Amino acid sequence: MEKRVSLKDIARKSGVSIATVSYVLNGHEDEKRIRKEVVDRVRKSAEELNYQPNQIARSLRKRSSSTIGMIVADIANPFFSQMARIVENEAAANGYTVIFGSSDEDASKSEALVISFLNRQVDGLIIVPAEGSETQIINLVRRRIPLVLVDRYFPDINTCSVSLDNFQATYNATLHLVENKVPDITMIAYSNRLIHMRERIRGYREAMKASGLAGNISVHEIGYSDDHVNELEKILRKIPAEGTGPRGFIFATNALSVSGLFAIRNTCKKIPKDISFIGFDGGDSFDLFDPPLSFVEQPLGGFGKESVHILMELIRGSGKITKIQLSPKLIIRGEKIC
Amino acid sequence: MEKRVSLKDIARKSGVSIATVSYVLNGHEDEKRIRKEVVDRVRKSAEELNYQPNQIARSLRKRSSSTIGMIVADIANPFFSQMARIVENEAAANGYTVIFGSSDEDASKSEALVISFLNRQVDGLIIVPAEGSETQIINLVRRRIPLVLVDRYFPDINTCSVSLDNFQATYNATLHLVENKVPDITMIAYSNRLIHMRERIRGYREAMKASGLAGNISVHEIGYSDDHVNELEKILRKIPAEGTGPRGFIFATNALSVSGLFAIRNTCKKIPKDISFIGFDGGDSFDLFDPPLSFVEQPLGGFGKESVHILMELIRGSGKITKIQLSPKLIIRGEKIC
DNA sequence: CTGAAAGCGCTTACAG
DNA sequence: CTGAAAGCGCTTACAG
């Protein structure tokens, strides 16, 4: 690589000190009362030399890198990559760059990323916490690292967080099916202790109870590393061929919803005749279905914007702990298009 | 944030100089012939103080940040987010962190990202170049910045690149339809001067000519910012109701393929009865279709791995320009599942 | 065997 | 109005 031009080069070229150049280029010429003539000379030199500041040097000196770290479960997953895109834009609007990392829902991978990001002196972290990552989160809180948890949080740890009202999400979804005379409703979830999953399951259970269907409660918790489609096919095959109507299925995540669609297709069940389907998050697969499928919509834009917004406040020094819970929207569809 | 422990703290605690601590912690204790006893003392202190190196300071001194910048069109697009994930993993395996940015296929946004990343002293760049970004790429080459272009490249600019054999991809796809007695084949592409698009279109054209179907050549180039689905619906509605068989459609990108599926559904055309469909890249939407849809498969893993691999070589100082062209795979499916 | 010292490229409190 | 100087936390050529 070529040698880069530094403040020193500009200083030499314009016959002033490095300090003066720094003041001018950082817009402190007024408070430092630099002569207009000098200001112009410096600006011109910087322009001519095509000066670009070395952010690393600046970061070291300012003890702030204008970088934030974001840890998601898997950046290849559309739910997270869409969120990442919004975070990227919001951060850029605030003059920040984002480093991303994928934890694969694994606490030790997550910890390695946290350490790597902190060593790179990120100014703050946005984390989709993995199961079992309580210790590392507590550690961050203790060290007063600006931190926002998103999608999930730990009820016992006092941190900023942006999450969905997960209880309401599945509660509403369940009620919707009940109102449509679907009494046999199964919830498909991950076997995961994290709050977002527990709340989604609880929402379903409470709605069933409230509808007098406590006896029909049926929750399947699938392991993260299981063969989802295969597990779901097993469940679907157990449905008696002649029932009293469609059987309801509510899926607790987008990945499970899509696996559900595969299992339904593979077992030749039909939506809506055999199955009343409610997925989680949107996606082309839901929209392309005819009739388009119903789902719980998550406010992705809100997740991204709020988390950056809160993090910026924390970085600027407000010690305020903000916990935001966004409302889900139940998108109901059913009209056949063709 | 708490004050971090530095080499100085360890030096004081173990009663040696900062230099010695640095040597020990960087594994130079043998070549510097540090006494075993001192080595142990330093290691123990570092451990006890829970020392974490400040990468920013190290980067400034070493003039290398162990960070690479990757610019894609849109990280929210699964094609790019999947590639990003592989790049993340490969880079991590080499001790590198990745900063991502989305250009939205806009040369000026891309340039802003390039500048921002260089100011952050990235050691190299992996770029999915936007249309019209030749100048900035030439600039990078001139400055000898380690650089790998991926997905597309500029034939007139001598850079490392990893791309698909795009000509072969659509050539094969077209021949496949011809062999299946589908003579009326339309190519749906972006109106874009970039090589990957031109080659995909050329592959189709040449295959048509080679099959004696030059008279049937039909290419639709859709603007990036147009309403794709709407444009495609217009095209589909022009197909005469009673034809001599299905009409072939080959889509030049994944986004276009998915828009195509929406347009087909919206106009109530049926695959495979009315339309022989060949998409680009995989995806749940293709797999969920019954029968599953055929498509040109891109070696995403290869894109990610090769680009990081080549970039690492460049960073290590090999001046070798490597241009890799990966082979597409035509995935043909058609058996109805239900 | 070990350390003093220079220096990476900045910013900023302080002096004049 | 402007600059000398210290210092952010490291690495490394050099001296002894």
Side-chain angles (χ1 to χ4, degrees), chain A residues 218-292:
Chain A
S218 155
V219 178
H220 287 273
E221 298 193 17
I222 299 181
Y224 197 71
S225 53
D226 288 354
D227 179 338
H228 300 165
V229 176
N230 193 30
E231 292 298 316
L232 287 162
E233 284 182 22
K234 280 191 221 158
I235 294 166
L236 287 167
R237 284 193 226 283
K238 281 189 198 133
I239 302 178
E242 61 267 25
T244 53
R247 170 107 201 180
F249 278 88
I250 298 176
F251 295 86
T253 75
N254 192 256
L256 286 172
S257 312
V258 173
S259 297
L261 289 178
F262 277 105
I264 291 166
R265 198 271 313 272
N266 293 352
T267 51
C268 296
K269 304 277 180 196
K270 296 300 173 202
I271 302 172
K273 187 173 74 68
D274 306 317
I275 286 171
S276 286
F277 178 101
I278 297 192
F280 219 92
D281 298 335
D284 292 331
S285 305
F286 295 177
D287 299 338
L288 276 169
F289 218 89
D290 197 10

Side-chain angles (χ1 to χ4, degrees), chain A residues 66 88 97 102 120 265 268 338, chain B residues 66 88 97 102 120 268 338:
Chain A
S66 296
E88 178 194 333
T97 300
S102 304
R120 288 185 145 77
R265 198 271 313 272
C268 296
C338 284
Chain B
S66 295
E88 177 193 332
T97 299
S102 304
R120 287 186 146 77
C268 296
C338 284

Side-chain angles (χ1 to χ4, degrees), chain B residues 10 14 16 20-21 23-47:
Chain B
I10 302 176
S14 17
V16 296
T20 303
V21 176
Y23 294 135
V24 171
L25 264 28
N26 287 301
H28 301 321
E29 66 266 26
D30 286 346
E31 70 217 54
K32 298 300 292 188
R33 320 243 221 111
I34 315 254
R35 259 186 306 154
K36 173 123 191 4
E37 183 209 329
V38 171
V39 171
D40 290 345
R41 195 142 34 98
V42 169
R43 288 245 172 76
K44 188 151 156 289
S45 302
E47 177 81 15

Side-chain angles (χ1 to χ4, degrees), chain B residues 6 23 32 34 51 63 88 104 109-110 144 155-156 160 163 181 206 228 239-240 242 247 250 273 288-289 314 327 334:
Chain B
S6 69
Y23 294 135
K32 298 300 292 188
I34 315 254
Y51 172 70
R63 307 166 130 281
E88 177 193 332
D104 286 325
K109 276 195 200 179
S110 166
R144 307 207 184 298
D156 298 339
C160 292
S163 58
K181 314 275 179 255
E206 293 302 320
H228 300 165
I239 302 178
E242 60 268 26
R247 169 109 201 179
I250 299 176
K273 187 173 75 66
L288 276 171
F289 218 87
L314 287 177
S327 295

Side-chain angles (χ1 to χ4, degrees), chain A residues 43-240:
Chain A
R43 288 245 171 76
K44 191 153 154 287
S45 303
E47 178 81 13
E48 283 172 13
L49 294 172
N50 188 24
Y51 172 71
Q52 293 295 342
N54 181 326
Q55 289 294 348
I56 292 281
R58 174 179 273 175
S59 299
L60 179 59
R61 176 57 227 240
K62 298 188 83 167
R63 309 165 129 280
S64 144
S65 60
S66 296
T67 301
I68 65 184
M70 178 170 193
I71 299 174
V72 298
D74 180 6
I75 192 76
N77 176 327
F79 172 62
F80 296 115
S81 72
Q82 287 175 58
M83 209 154 76
R85 180 61 208 274
I86 294 158
V87 167
E88 178 194 333
N89 289 357
E90 288 299 306
N94 284 277
Y96 277 74
T97 300
V98 190
I99 327 181
F100 294 100
S102 304
S103 72
D104 286 324
E105 301 281 5
D106 176 318
S108 66
K109 277 196 199 180
S110 166
E111 172 139 48
L113 287 167
V114 165
I115 291 174
S116 158
F117 287 179
L118 289 179
N119 289 354
R120 288 185 145 77
Q121 314 301 118
V122 295
D123 293 343
L125 290 165
I126 295 176
I127 300 182
V128 175
E131 194 173 24
S133 64
E134 287 89 337
T135 333
Q136 56 189 272
I137 299 297
I138 289 173
N139 224 309
L140 294 171
V141 171
R142 204 180 40 69
R143 295 169 62 186
R144 306 207 184 296
I145 312 275
L147 166 71
V148 180
L149 299 185
V150 56
D151 190 33
R152 314 114 187 224
Y153 61 92
F154 298 110
D156 298 338
I157 309 179
N158 192 26
T159 57
C160 292
S161 64
V162 182
S163 58
L164 185 74
D165 184 339
N166 289 294
F167 177 84
Q168 207 54 243
T170 47
Y171 192 93
N172 292 349
T174 307
L175 282 196
H176 170 78
L177 290 184
V178 172
E179 281 160 12
N180 280 269
K181 316 276 179 249
V182 180
D184 289 317
I185 306 170
T186 298
M187 170 99 206
I188 305 292
Y190 278 131
S191 65
N192 184 312
R193 300 297 320 156
L194 286 167
I195 188 82
H196 68 309
M197 199 51 66
R198 296 340 290 176
E199 283 293 284
R200 288 175 198 176
I201 293 172
R202 194 170 69 86
Y204 158 78
R205 285 184 179 280
E206 293 302 319
M208 290 295 274
K209 284 190 205 159
S211 309
L213 293 168
N216 289 8
I217 288 176
S218 155
V219 178
H220 287 273
E221 298 193 17
I222 299 181
Y224 197 71
S225 53
D226 288 354
D227 179 338
H228 300 165
V229 176
N230 193 30
E231 292 298 316
L232 287 162
E233 284 182 22
K234 280 191 221 158
I235 294 166
L236 287 167
R237 284 193 226 283
K238 281 189 198 133
I239 302 178

Side-chain angles (χ1 to χ4, degrees), chain B residues 282-298:
Chain B
D284 292 331
S285 304
F286 296 178
D287 300 339
L288 276 171
F289 218 87
D290 196 10
L293 300 172
S294 300
F295 63 94
V296 173
E297 188 182 61
Q298 297 210 66

